[in-house]
C-alpha cells in the first residue's frame, strides 16, 4: 500500500491507493477510460502533474494503451469514479 496522500481539495485528502481503485470516466460520453496505474510528481515542487492511466477495464481485461492524464483534465473525484473532461483520442 502506498501511504503518500494527495490533496484533492483544500481540506480533503485521499490516498493514492484509493485513487487506483476508482474508474476514470469521460464526463461527456460516460465511457470508462481505465484505472490509474501511476502518478507523475514534479520533483522540484512536489505537486502531482498527472496520472498514467491503463486502458484496461480490469474486469474484462480489455487490452488498451496507457495514456497520461493531466490534473487539468480531472473534473471531479467521487466515491467510485473520477470524472475527466472529454478528450478526443
Amino acid at each position: 500500500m502506498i501511504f503518500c496522500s494527495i490533496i484533492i481539495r483544500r481540506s480533503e485528502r485521499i490516498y493514492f491507493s484509493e485513487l487506483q481503485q476508482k474508474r476514470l470516466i469521460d464526463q461527456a460520453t460516460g465511457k470508462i477510460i481505465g484505472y490509474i496505474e501511476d502518478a507523475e510528481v514534479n520533483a522540484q515542487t512536489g505537486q502531482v502533474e498527472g496520472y498514467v492511466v491503463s486502458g484496461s477495464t480490469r474486469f474484462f481485461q480489455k487490452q488498451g494503451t496507457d495514456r497520461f492524464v493531466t490534473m487539468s483534465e480531472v473534473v471531479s473525484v467521487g466515491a467510485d469514479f473520477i470524472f475527466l473532461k472529454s478528450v478526443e483520442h
Side-chain angles (χ1 to χ4, degrees), residues 23-76:
R23 286 185 233 165
L24 278 80
I25 307 290
D26 183 309
Q27 185 180 29
T29 65
K31 179 181 174 188
I32 297 172
I33 305 296
Y35 290 84
I36 293 175
E37 293 292 328
D38 205 352
E40 183 177 300
V41 178
N42 183 310
Q44 294 178 337
T45 65
Q47 295 293 315
V48 175
E49 299 284 329
Y51 301 106
V52 176
V53 176
S54 168
S56 170
T57 57
R58 286 191 187 171
F59 297 111
F60 302 108
Q61 295 303 313
K62 177 183 171 187
Q63 295 298 321
T65 57
D66 290 349
R67 70 175 263 210
F68 185 75
V69 173
T70 64
M71 293 302 293
S72 63
E73 291 179 73
V74 175
V75 175
S76 66

